[in-house]
Each structure stands twice: as C-alpha cells, then as structure tokens.
Amino acid sequence: MKNYKVLVLAAFLVASLASCGDDSSSGTDASVTESSSEQALSSSVQSPERSSSSVAPVSSSAEEKLSSSSAEVESSSSETPTSSGDDGKCTDCDSYTAADPELTENGGKGSVTTYGSVTAKETSLGGACNYGQTNIQYYAAIHVNVSPGDDKGPWDGGAACGGCVHVRARTPEGWKEVTVRITDRCPDANCGVDLGGAPAADIMGNRVGRYSGEWGFVSCEGVDGVWGDSTSLWVKEGASEFWSIIQVRNPKDMVKSIMILGEGGESRELEMVVGTENFWTVPQAVLQTDSRYRVVVKYRTGTDDEWKIKGSDLAVPEANLYLHEHRE
C-alpha cells in the first residue's frame, strides 16, 4: 500500500512536470509570435532610408524619367543658337539646307549665298536697283519673299535699295561678318542675302556655297566699300519737261521719302514708281519752271539730306546732281 502511494505520488509529479513543460512550450510559441509581430511591425514602419530602398523601383523610374527629360531639355538648349553662347562654328558650312528665310525685328536669318566672283571681286553693276555701273565693291541682293510669291520680304518693290545690311554667317572658324549695300533683289526663292564677290570672299574664302547666317539693317555712314561715289540725285534717261523720275545714289541708308518744297511754302511728297524699282516721280509742274526748290530726302536712319535746285534741273536726262554741289 505504501508503495502504491509512492507510485501515485511519482505519477503526479511526472504529470506536473509534463504540464510545466507544456507551459514552457506555449511560452516559447508566444515569444516567437510576439517576435514575428514585432518584425512585421518593424517592416511596415521602416526607417526613411529603408523605405526609400523599398520603393526604389518606382522612385528610380521616376528619377530616370526626370533625368532623361532634363537631359533632353539641356540637349535641346545646347543646340539652340544664342547670341551669347553660339560661337558660329560648323562643319559642311557651305551645304546649308535651303529653306524659307525668317524675318526678325531688324533683318532676318537663313541662307547666305553669293552671285559674284570671289577671285575677281567685281564691282556692282547696279542690279535691280537700277544704279548702273558703280564702284561699289561691297554689295548684295536681298530676298523678295518669305514664302515663295508672297512679296513679304524686305525688298518691298525696291524700297530696300541703297540700305546697308550687316551680315554674319557660320563658318568652320566661327562667325564671320561683313557689311554690304543692297543693290539688287534675290532671284532664288530660298535666298536670304546674296553677296557680291568681295564680301562673299571675306566670309566663304574660296569655298562658295549656301551658308547659314543672319543679318540686320544698319546705316551706311562710315562703312568702307559700300560707296561708289558721292551722294547724288540721278535723273533717268528719257526725262523731259513732261515726265521725269529720279533716284538717290549712294544714300546714307534706304530712302523713306522725298519731299519737294517750293519757295512759296508749297510742298509735294514724291510717289515711288510702281514697276520701275527705286525711282520716284517728279510732278510735271516742277519740271516746267526755273523756280528754286528744296529737295529733302529722309532716310530710314540718320539725318536728312537737302538739295537746292531749279525745278527744270530734274527734267535733264541722266543729270547727276551731287549733294555737295547743290547745298546753296
């Protein structure tokens, strides 16, 4: 009996130990579960650095797109000519693709070509401006159109005649520039400025072709090479007391208007001839008198020029009335 109690007690102790073992095991599982929960929480509430890493595929893609977009903008900017950063250097400079010229506030940009000899460097024969043989070595033609046939270029029926243009073009050495007097109009639909031989040689050397450039109108005063003679009023051949048209040769700039003022205070503004470019019509009443008149020429820029002449002087065919001889 005593042995039986011992055995029962032993069994009870074993059961108790087993129960304690189960609690211990359960406690371990709880610890593991708690640890797992903490890890999960830790994963969901990450440090900024890790969070950045965990969303890297999206952020990296966005950054790549932004970087690519910025690079494209920067590349586009670097290819756009600017007055401050564009050094004018180019390759195959004489093979610029023909395109319609563009107008700017005081000139334009587009093709710069040549119709003169860069070796002989002839003087201008007057071109469509009807100046006849001149001693002007630095001359050029200007475009008539912006788009073919629209007549929106600066030529304007000959109004550009006598004006000077500062031209610069891209070359392998960078920008080269020259100032020329307009004596002609471009025959080329894609022409911008078509240079005579001497100015073309200054820019193109012996490698003539179609260059990319830009130009702006300037005064002719003080510019070498654009003067063929002194400033004068020239009367067209065929003039008489019944009909006469005149032009200004070697002007300071393009002519904007010509006024004839009588001693009695009367004034007449001459009209530009349509069809015969760069000429102005003189009223018949002026041609048929020896009364003295003041002929005032207004230019695009600079001071006016003024002649003092008899009306009948403007009826003499091919008369060349120099300004310095008719100021009194």
Side-chain angles (χ1 to χ4, degrees):
M1 187 66 177
K2 184 177 180 179
N3 289 338
Y4 173 75
K5 289 181 178 179
V6 171
L7 288 172
V8 170
L9 181 60
F12 177 79
L13 290 172
V14 169
S16 297
L17 288 171
S19 176
C20 288
D22 289 341
D23 288 343
S24 174
S25 175
S26 176
T28 302
D29 291 341
S31 174
V32 170
T33 301
E34 182 179 353
S35 175
S36 298
S37 298
E38 288 175 357
Q39 288 177 2
L41 181 62
S42 175
S43 295
S44 63
V45 184
Q46 298 161 343
S47 68
E49 183 177 5
R50 180 161 181 189
S51 175
S52 174
S53 175
S54 67
V55 295
V58 176
S59 177
S60 174
S61 175
E63 286 176 1
E64 286 175 4
K65 289 180 179 179
L66 180 60
S67 175
S68 173
S69 175
S70 299
E72 287 176 3
V73 171
E74 183 177 351
S75 173
S76 175
S77 297
S78 67
E79 292 171 2
T80 303
T82 61
S83 57
S84 59
D86 184 5
D87 61 7
K89 290 184 179 179
C90 57
T91 56
D92 297 324
C93 303
D94 58 332
S95 301
Y96 175 65
T97 302
D100 291 343
E102 298 179 38
L103 295 179
T104 60
E105 184 177 357
N106 188 44
K109 55 185 177 179
S111 297
V112 176
T113 52
T114 180
Y115 68 111
S117 168
V118 296
T119 53
K121 301 180 183 179
E122 305 97 335
T123 54
S124 170
L125 298 178
C129 289
N130 296 295
Y131 290 133
Q133 178 66 59
T134 76
N135 293 319
I136 301 170
Q137 195 171 44
Y138 279 72
Y139 60 95
I142 195 79
H143 63 105
V144 177
N145 304 310
V146 175
S147 295
D150 66 5
D151 289 324
K152 292 183 178 179
W155 173 254
D156 192 20
C161 285
C164 284
V165 177
H166 184 76
V167 181
R168 68 174 192 160
R170 293 178 174 85
T171 76
E173 294 79 37
W175 291 110
K176 290 188 177 179
E177 50 197 84
V178 69
T179 299
V180 293
R181 188 187 287 276
I182 301 303
T183 63
D184 208 348
R185 57 188 166 100
C186 287
D188 181 354
N190 295 122
C191 171
V193 172
D194 201 16
L195 301 174
D202 287 358
I203 288 178
M204 304 174 185
N206 291 323
R207 190 169 178 176
V208 299
R210 187 180 296 274
Y211 284 66
S212 169
E214 54 194 35
W215 51 89
F217 286 93
V218 297
S219 172
C220 299
E221 291 189 270
V223 179
D224 292 334
V226 302
W227 300 88
D229 201 348
S230 299
T231 305
S232 66
L233 292 176
W234 191 80
V235 183
K236 190 169 176 57
E237 63 273 12
S240 70
E241 61 181 309
F242 301 104
W243 173 88
S244 179
I245 56 178
I246 62 175
Q247 66 177 201
V248 183
R249 292 192 168 180
N250 295 290
K252 295 174 180 175
D253 201 339
M254 65 177 69
V255 175
K256 299 304 292 181
S257 69
I258 301 178
M259 297 284 296
I260 295 183
L261 308 174
E263 292 178 335
E266 70 274 18
S267 66
R268 297 176 175 86
E269 183 171 354
L270 305 192
E271 294 184 2
M272 198 169 187
V273 179
V274 177
T276 306
E277 295 161 320
N278 193 32
F279 277 97
W280 306 73
T281 301
V282 182
Q284 191 178 95
V286 173
L287 302 174
Q288 296 177 347
T289 177
D290 288 335
S291 298
R292 296 187 66 80
Y293 292 90
R294 293 162 51 220
V295 180
V296 179
V297 174
K298 292 184 178 293
Y299 299 111
R300 185 188 69 92
T301 58
T303 57
D304 303 342
D305 278 333
E306 183 178 318
W307 284 253
K308 293 181 179 179
I309 56 177
K310 294 186 298 183
S312 57
D313 290 339
L314 300 176
V316 179
E318 300 183 61
N320 205 18
L321 307 170
Y322 286 104
L323 176 61
H324 64 84
E325 295 177 346
H326 292 85
R327 283 180 169 153
E328 298 298 334

